[in-house]
Amino acid sequence: MSTGFFEGIEKVSFEGEGSTNPLAFRHYNPDELVMGKRMEDHLRFAVAYWHSFAWEGGDPFGGQTFVRPWHPQDDMGRAKLKADVAFKMFDLLNVPFFCWHDADIRPEQGYFADNLATLEEITDYIGEKMQASRTGLLWGTANMFSDRRWMSGAATNPDPDVFAFAAATVKSCMDATHKLGGQNYVLWGGREGYETLLNTDLGQELDHMGRFLNMVVEYKHKIGFKGAILVEPKPQEPSKHQYDYDAATCIGFLRKYGLEDEVKLNLEQGHAILAGHSFEHEIAVAASEGMLGSIDMNRNDYQSGWDTDQFPNNTPEVALAYYHILKAGGFDTGGTNFDAKLRRQSLDPQDLIAAHVGGMDICARGLKAAAAMVEDGGLEQALTERYAGWSAPAAQAMLGSDLGSITDRVLAEAINPEPRSGRQEMLENYVNRFV
Ligand code: XLS
Ligand code: NI
Ligand code: NI
């Protein structure tokens, strides 16, 4: 099928910092080496199918603003047109990856058998397009939150028939992800949570979620899927309380159900903010447990208090996120997904391209700043100095000791700690030299 949606828009290229072309990269230069590795291979950008192509621009007060030739998504012809337009955009942006939910790429049918048939048909079609494209699949996932059947959750639904429908849906999406060579499979707990504890057996729901995720891992091994299984934390919205609240909560959950070696995390900037954390906090928590998988690099409006899914535009924040990612060794199967949507007034095809260009450029700029900080070593050195006392043999021995022996030593040596500056402002000024 041919599509003229992006007619008149040229393939986006790197023009350097001096460029004033709004549809050119000023920082993202895929082949440029950063710490000895191509920028593209560090960042591993992905376009989110749902916000860019499926979303029609509605908000709680009004409906569709985006009038696209592939809306509404209720038949296979329009689903294929949408795929054609999507792959055209992947090519214009030269992105290495994209991501989807089942519901973004196929029409919703009602019966599972019909959903399965349309999913197979559209993923065959997408597979053919991928043959002719350089864009691969970063991850697939199941939308188990939009249709009304999911209103009380999927794996945590009080109705076992919904659990069954969820199991079949996830199996179909894992099969499709595997077929398309996906590098990860993501589970964001859309409505896995509650509206009120008055009607919720929290303990039973968590046990069901733990068993469900174990089935996902068992199935991954059964089909020989080599990618990572990732869980995406979020504290609330759509549920009042989501079980996968934040990175620390997810890690505790994964350990409880024996999944700590099998599942990693997909962290989203905006979700970190909703949970009352900085993004780098969430990244550092996951990295400290070896569970950093992938990121959704979309921000929230800081005044709004909900998940506004905007493209990133804050270099200092992005730089600190990549600093912690670089410190953790960078991405393996993960990448930088833009789980980000246009504002509903941004109607034009150019807006969609410009949003991604800006997001990619900010990430590239942040990555370069992060790499410069790693190479300079100033933050690392400050840490080394701050914790230097712990390299003393007596300090190390204390960790293998006990409260009584430590007390004896405090008395014998008249230990009386001398407070030292944490130097926060000096470190903030240091970071500002790079961003
Ligand atoms: C919603 C989530 C969602 C996941 C994929 O807030 O970010 O988009 O990334 O289901
Ligand atoms: Ni989100
Ligand atoms: Ni997300």
Side-chain angles (χ1 to χ4, degrees), residues 251-272:
I251 290 166
F253 170 85
L254 293 173
R255 287 195 185 289
K256 177 173 180 193
Y257 294 99
L259 292 161
E260 65 272 21
D261 297 327
E262 294 282 359
V263 179
K264 292 188 163 121
L265 302 180
N266 180 44
L267 300 170
E268 178 165 314
Q269 200 272 359
H271 298 180

PDB file of all heavy atoms in Angstrom, residues 251-272:
ATOM      1  N   ILE A 251      11.282  -5.169  42.752  1.00  0.00           N
ATOM      2  CA  ILE A 251      12.394  -6.065  43.097  1.00  0.00           C
ATOM      3  C   ILE A 251      11.992  -6.972  44.260  1.00  0.00           C
ATOM      4  O   ILE A 251      12.244  -8.184  44.249  1.00  0.00           O
ATOM      5  CB  ILE A 251      13.669  -5.241  43.400  1.00  0.00           C
ATOM      6  CG1 ILE A 251      14.189  -4.617  42.098  1.00  0.00           C
ATOM      7  CG2 ILE A 251      14.742  -6.106  44.050  1.00  0.00           C
ATOM      8  CD1 ILE A 251      15.217  -3.519  42.285  1.00  0.00           C
ATOM      9  N   GLY A 252      11.322  -6.399  45.250  1.00  0.00           N
ATOM     10  CA  GLY A 252      10.837  -7.208  46.377  1.00  0.00           C
ATOM     11  C   GLY A 252       9.854  -8.277  45.902  1.00  0.00           C
ATOM     12  O   GLY A 252       9.919  -9.439  46.317  1.00  0.00           O
ATOM     13  N   PHE A 253       8.968  -7.881  45.005  1.00  0.00           N
ATOM     14  CA  PHE A 253       7.976  -8.810  44.441  1.00  0.00           C
ATOM     15  C   PHE A 253       8.674  -9.932  43.681  1.00  0.00           C
ATOM     16  O   PHE A 253       8.368 -11.122  43.862  1.00  0.00           O
ATOM     17  CB  PHE A 253       7.032  -8.028  43.517  1.00  0.00           C
ATOM     18  CG  PHE A 253       6.121  -8.877  42.693  1.00  0.00           C
ATOM     19  CD1 PHE A 253       4.910  -9.331  43.202  1.00  0.00           C
ATOM     20  CD2 PHE A 253       6.467  -9.246  41.396  1.00  0.00           C
ATOM     21  CE1 PHE A 253       4.064 -10.124  42.444  1.00  0.00           C
ATOM     22  CE2 PHE A 253       5.638 -10.035  40.628  1.00  0.00           C
ATOM     23  CZ  PHE A 253       4.433 -10.488  41.150  1.00  0.00           C
ATOM     24  N   LEU A 254       9.642  -9.564  42.835  1.00  0.00           N
ATOM     25  CA  LEU A 254      10.337 -10.576  42.024  1.00  0.00           C
ATOM     26  C   LEU A 254      11.082 -11.557  42.917  1.00  0.00           C
ATOM     27  O   LEU A 254      11.082 -12.769  42.674  1.00  0.00           O
ATOM     28  CB  LEU A 254      11.297  -9.902  41.035  1.00  0.00           C
ATOM     29  CG  LEU A 254      10.612  -9.068  39.936  1.00  0.00           C
ATOM     30  CD1 LEU A 254      11.643  -8.300  39.112  1.00  0.00           C
ATOM     31  CD2 LEU A 254       9.754  -9.954  39.026  1.00  0.00           C
ATOM     32  N   ARG A 255      11.693 -11.046  43.976  1.00  0.00           N
ATOM     33  CA  ARG A 255      12.401 -11.955  44.899  1.00  0.00           C
ATOM     34  C   ARG A 255      11.422 -12.886  45.603  1.00  0.00           C
ATOM     35  O   ARG A 255      11.678 -14.072  45.741  1.00  0.00           O
ATOM     36  CB  ARG A 255      13.165 -11.146  45.949  1.00  0.00           C
ATOM     37  CG  ARG A 255      14.392 -10.451  45.410  1.00  0.00           C
ATOM     38  CD  ARG A 255      15.303  -9.985  46.543  1.00  0.00           C
ATOM     39  NE  ARG A 255      16.410  -9.218  46.012  1.00  0.00           N
ATOM     40  CZ  ARG A 255      17.415  -9.744  45.321  1.00  0.00           C
ATOM     41  NH1 ARG A 255      17.463 -11.044  45.104  1.00  0.00           N
ATOM     42  NH2 ARG A 255      18.375  -8.974  44.853  1.00  0.00           N
ATOM     43  N   LYS A 256      10.289 -12.350  46.032  1.00  0.00           N
ATOM     44  CA  LYS A 256       9.319 -13.170  46.769  1.00  0.00           C
ATOM     45  C   LYS A 256       8.861 -14.358  45.917  1.00  0.00           C
ATOM     46  O   LYS A 256       8.649 -15.449  46.429  1.00  0.00           O
ATOM     47  CB  LYS A 256       8.111 -12.328  47.179  1.00  0.00           C
ATOM     48  CG  LYS A 256       7.044 -13.168  47.880  1.00  0.00           C
ATOM     49  CD  LYS A 256       5.900 -12.357  48.456  1.00  0.00           C
ATOM     50  CE  LYS A 256       4.906 -13.306  49.136  1.00  0.00           C
ATOM     51  NZ  LYS A 256       3.645 -12.652  49.445  1.00  0.00           N
ATOM     52  N   TYR A 257       8.699 -14.109  44.602  1.00  0.00           N
ATOM     53  CA  TYR A 257       8.175 -15.177  43.740  1.00  0.00           C
ATOM     54  C   TYR A 257       9.289 -15.876  42.946  1.00  0.00           C
ATOM     55  O   TYR A 257       9.022 -16.530  41.938  1.00  0.00           O
ATOM     56  CB  TYR A 257       7.067 -14.617  42.837  1.00  0.00           C
ATOM     57  CG  TYR A 257       5.870 -14.201  43.687  1.00  0.00           C
ATOM     58  CD1 TYR A 257       5.679 -12.870  44.046  1.00  0.00           C
ATOM     59  CD2 TYR A 257       5.003 -15.158  44.198  1.00  0.00           C
ATOM     60  CE1 TYR A 257       4.626 -12.494  44.880  1.00  0.00           C
ATOM     61  CE2 TYR A 257       3.944 -14.796  45.035  1.00  0.00           C
ATOM     62  CZ  TYR A 257       3.761 -13.464  45.363  1.00  0.00           C
ATOM     63  OH  TYR A 257       2.727 -13.106  46.191  1.00  0.00           O
ATOM     64  N   GLY A 258      10.544 -15.722  43.409  1.00  0.00           N
ATOM     65  CA  GLY A 258      11.652 -16.490  42.837  1.00  0.00           C
ATOM     66  C   GLY A 258      12.031 -16.098  41.423  1.00  0.00           C
ATOM     67  O   GLY A 258      12.530 -16.917  40.652  1.00  0.00           O
ATOM     68  N   LEU A 259      11.809 -14.835  41.057  1.00  0.00           N
ATOM     69  CA  LEU A 259      12.016 -14.409  39.669  1.00  0.00           C
ATOM     70  C   LEU A 259      13.200 -13.461  39.507  1.00  0.00           C
ATOM     71  O   LEU A 259      13.404 -12.906  38.429  1.00  0.00           O
ATOM     72  CB  LEU A 259      10.736 -13.710  39.176  1.00  0.00           C
ATOM     73  CG  LEU A 259       9.520 -14.636  39.016  1.00  0.00           C
ATOM     74  CD1 LEU A 259       8.230 -13.818  38.998  1.00  0.00           C
ATOM     75  CD2 LEU A 259       9.650 -15.458  37.748  1.00  0.00           C
ATOM     76  N   GLU A 260      13.999 -13.301  40.584  1.00  0.00           N
ATOM     77  CA  GLU A 260      15.032 -12.267  40.546  1.00  0.00           C
ATOM     78  C   GLU A 260      16.112 -12.518  39.488  1.00  0.00           C
ATOM     79  O   GLU A 260      16.761 -11.584  39.040  1.00  0.00           O
ATOM     80  CB  GLU A 260      15.656 -12.058  41.928  1.00  0.00           C
ATOM     81  CG  GLU A 260      16.435 -13.245  42.480  1.00  0.00           C
ATOM     82  CD  GLU A 260      15.563 -14.228  43.255  1.00  0.00           C
ATOM     83  OE1 GLU A 260      14.331 -14.237  43.050  1.00  0.00           O
ATOM     84  OE2 GLU A 260      16.121 -15.010  44.047  1.00  0.00           O
ATOM     85  N   ASP A 261      16.296 -13.756  39.083  1.00  0.00           N
ATOM     86  CA  ASP A 261      17.309 -14.019  38.053  1.00  0.00           C
ATOM     87  C   ASP A 261      16.706 -14.075  36.658  1.00  0.00           C
ATOM     88  O   ASP A 261      17.421 -14.279  35.671  1.00  0.00           O
ATOM     89  CB  ASP A 261      18.030 -15.339  38.342  1.00  0.00           C
ATOM     90  CG  ASP A 261      18.790 -15.276  39.662  1.00  0.00           C
ATOM     91  OD1 ASP A 261      19.281 -14.170  40.009  1.00  0.00           O
ATOM     92  OD2 ASP A 261      18.862 -16.307  40.357  1.00  0.00           O
ATOM     93  N   GLU A 262      15.405 -13.938  36.560  1.00  0.00           N
ATOM     94  CA  GLU A 262      14.716 -14.131  35.278  1.00  0.00           C
ATOM     95  C   GLU A 262      14.111 -12.854  34.713  1.00  0.00           C
ATOM     96  O   GLU A 262      13.838 -12.777  33.520  1.00  0.00           O
ATOM     97  CB  GLU A 262      13.578 -15.151  35.450  1.00  0.00           C
ATOM     98  CG  GLU A 262      14.051 -16.557  35.785  1.00  0.00           C
ATOM     99  CD  GLU A 262      14.573 -17.289  34.560  1.00  0.00           C
ATOM    100  OE1 GLU A 262      14.550 -16.726  33.453  1.00  0.00           O
ATOM    101  OE2 GLU A 262      15.020 -18.436  34.725  1.00  0.00           O
ATOM    102  N   VAL A 263      13.829 -11.893  35.565  1.00  0.00           N
ATOM    103  CA  VAL A 263      13.072 -10.710  35.124  1.00  0.00           C
ATOM    104  C   VAL A 263      13.855  -9.451  35.486  1.00  0.00           C
ATOM    105  O   VAL A 263      14.440  -9.365  36.564  1.00  0.00           O
ATOM    106  CB  VAL A 263      11.672 -10.684  35.792  1.00  0.00           C
ATOM    107  CG1 VAL A 263      10.887  -9.453  35.361  1.00  0.00           C
ATOM    108  CG2 VAL A 263      10.888 -11.959  35.450  1.00  0.00           C
ATOM    109  N   LYS A 264      13.868  -8.495  34.558  1.00  0.00           N
ATOM    110  CA  LYS A 264      14.491  -7.203  34.831  1.00  0.00           C
ATOM    111  C   LYS A 264      13.424  -6.117  34.710  1.00  0.00           C
ATOM    112  O   LYS A 264      12.245  -6.410  34.507  1.00  0.00           O
ATOM    113  CB  LYS A 264      15.638  -6.966  33.851  1.00  0.00           C
ATOM    114  CG  LYS A 264      16.810  -7.907  34.056  1.00  0.00           C
ATOM    115  CD  LYS A 264      17.966  -7.474  33.181  1.00  0.00           C
ATOM    116  CE  LYS A 264      19.238  -8.121  33.675  1.00  0.00           C
ATOM    117  NZ  LYS A 264      19.879  -8.949  32.691  1.00  0.00           N
ATOM    118  N   LEU A 265      13.870  -4.865  34.780  1.00  0.00           N
ATOM    119  CA  LEU A 265      12.902  -3.764  34.816  1.00  0.00           C
ATOM    120  C   LEU A 265      13.005  -2.870  33.581  1.00  0.00           C
ATOM    121  O   LEU A 265      14.099  -2.617  33.063  1.00  0.00           O
ATOM    122  CB  LEU A 265      13.125  -2.919  36.070  1.00  0.00           C
ATOM    123  CG  LEU A 265      13.022  -3.671  37.398  1.00  0.00           C
ATOM    124  CD1 LEU A 265      13.268  -2.718  38.563  1.00  0.00           C
ATOM    125  CD2 LEU A 265      11.668  -4.356  37.556  1.00  0.00           C
ATOM    126  N   ASN A 266      11.841  -2.414  33.126  1.00  0.00           N
ATOM    127  CA  ASN A 266      11.774  -1.348  32.124  1.00  0.00           C
ATOM    128  C   ASN A 266      11.313  -0.103  32.874  1.00  0.00           C
ATOM    129  O   ASN A 266      10.179  -0.036  33.334  1.00  0.00           O
ATOM    130  CB  ASN A 266      10.778  -1.706  31.009  1.00  0.00           C
ATOM    131  CG  ASN A 266      10.705  -0.612  29.958  1.00  0.00           C
ATOM    132  OD1 ASN A 266      11.731  -0.084  29.538  1.00  0.00           O
ATOM    133  ND2 ASN A 266       9.500  -0.265  29.538  1.00  0.00           N
ATOM    134  N   LEU A 267      12.204   0.866  32.998  1.00  0.00           N
ATOM    135  CA  LEU A 267      11.920   2.041  33.831  1.00  0.00           C
ATOM    136  C   LEU A 267      11.505   3.224  32.974  1.00  0.00           C
ATOM    137  O   LEU A 267      12.134   3.499  31.946  1.00  0.00           O
ATOM    138  CB  LEU A 267      13.168   2.410  34.630  1.00  0.00           C
ATOM    139  CG  LEU A 267      13.672   1.306  35.558  1.00  0.00           C
ATOM    140  CD1 LEU A 267      15.045   1.674  36.104  1.00  0.00           C
ATOM    141  CD2 LEU A 267      12.686   1.060  36.684  1.00  0.00           C
ATOM    142  N   GLU A 268      10.454   3.917  33.430  1.00  0.00           N
ATOM    143  CA  GLU A 268       9.965   5.080  32.677  1.00  0.00           C
ATOM    144  C   GLU A 268      10.172   6.347  33.496  1.00  0.00           C
ATOM    145  O   GLU A 268       9.808   6.392  34.677  1.00  0.00           O
ATOM    146  CB  GLU A 268       8.482   4.877  32.344  1.00  0.00           C
ATOM    147  CG  GLU A 268       7.874   6.057  31.609  1.00  0.00           C
ATOM    148  CD  GLU A 268       6.539   5.721  30.954  1.00  0.00           C
ATOM    149  OE1 GLU A 268       6.429   4.666  30.303  1.00  0.00           O
ATOM    150  OE2 GLU A 268       5.600   6.523  31.118  1.00  0.00           O
ATOM    151  N   GLN A 269      10.720   7.364  32.845  1.00  0.00           N
ATOM    152  CA  GLN A 269      11.025   8.620  33.544  1.00  0.00           C
ATOM    153  C   GLN A 269       9.788   9.169  34.255  1.00  0.00           C
ATOM    154  O   GLN A 269       9.822   9.486  35.437  1.00  0.00           O
ATOM    155  CB  GLN A 269      11.593   9.649  32.554  1.00  0.00           C
ATOM    156  CG  GLN A 269      12.381  10.785  33.204  1.00  0.00           C
ATOM    157  CD  GLN A 269      11.513  11.981  33.623  1.00  0.00           C
ATOM    158  OE1 GLN A 269      10.316  12.001  33.413  1.00  0.00           O
ATOM    159  NE2 GLN A 269      12.141  12.962  34.224  1.00  0.00           N
ATOM    160  N   GLY A 270       8.686   9.266  33.527  1.00  0.00           N
ATOM    161  CA  GLY A 270       7.477   9.852  34.099  1.00  0.00           C
ATOM    162  C   GLY A 270       6.918   9.037  35.268  1.00  0.00           C
ATOM    163  O   GLY A 270       6.361   9.600  36.219  1.00  0.00           O
ATOM    164  N   HIS A 271       7.066   7.733  35.209  1.00  0.00           N
ATOM    165  CA  HIS A 271       6.582   6.888  36.300  1.00  0.00           C
ATOM    166  C   HIS A 271       7.428   7.115  37.555  1.00  0.00           C
ATOM    167  O   HIS A 271       6.908   7.071  38.674  1.00  0.00           O
ATOM    168  CB  HIS A 271       6.633   5.413  35.920  1.00  0.00           C
ATOM    169  CG  HIS A 271       5.759   5.048  34.753  1.00  0.00           C
ATOM    170  ND1 HIS A 271       5.667   3.771  34.262  1.00  0.00           N
ATOM    171  CD2 HIS A 271       4.934   5.794  33.973  1.00  0.00           C
ATOM    172  CE1 HIS A 271       4.826   3.737  33.241  1.00  0.00           C
ATOM    173  NE2 HIS A 271       4.379   4.963  33.047  1.00  0.00           N
ATOM    174  N   ALA A 272       8.728   7.329  37.349  1.00  0.00           N
ATOM    175  CA  ALA A 272       9.602   7.623  38.494  1.00  0.00           C
ATOM    176  C   ALA A 272       9.109   8.886  39.197  1.00  0.00           C
ATOM    177  O   ALA A 272       8.988   8.918  40.430  1.00  0.00           O
ATOM    178  CB  ALA A 272      11.043   7.813  38.016  1.00  0.00           C
TER     179      ALA A 272
END
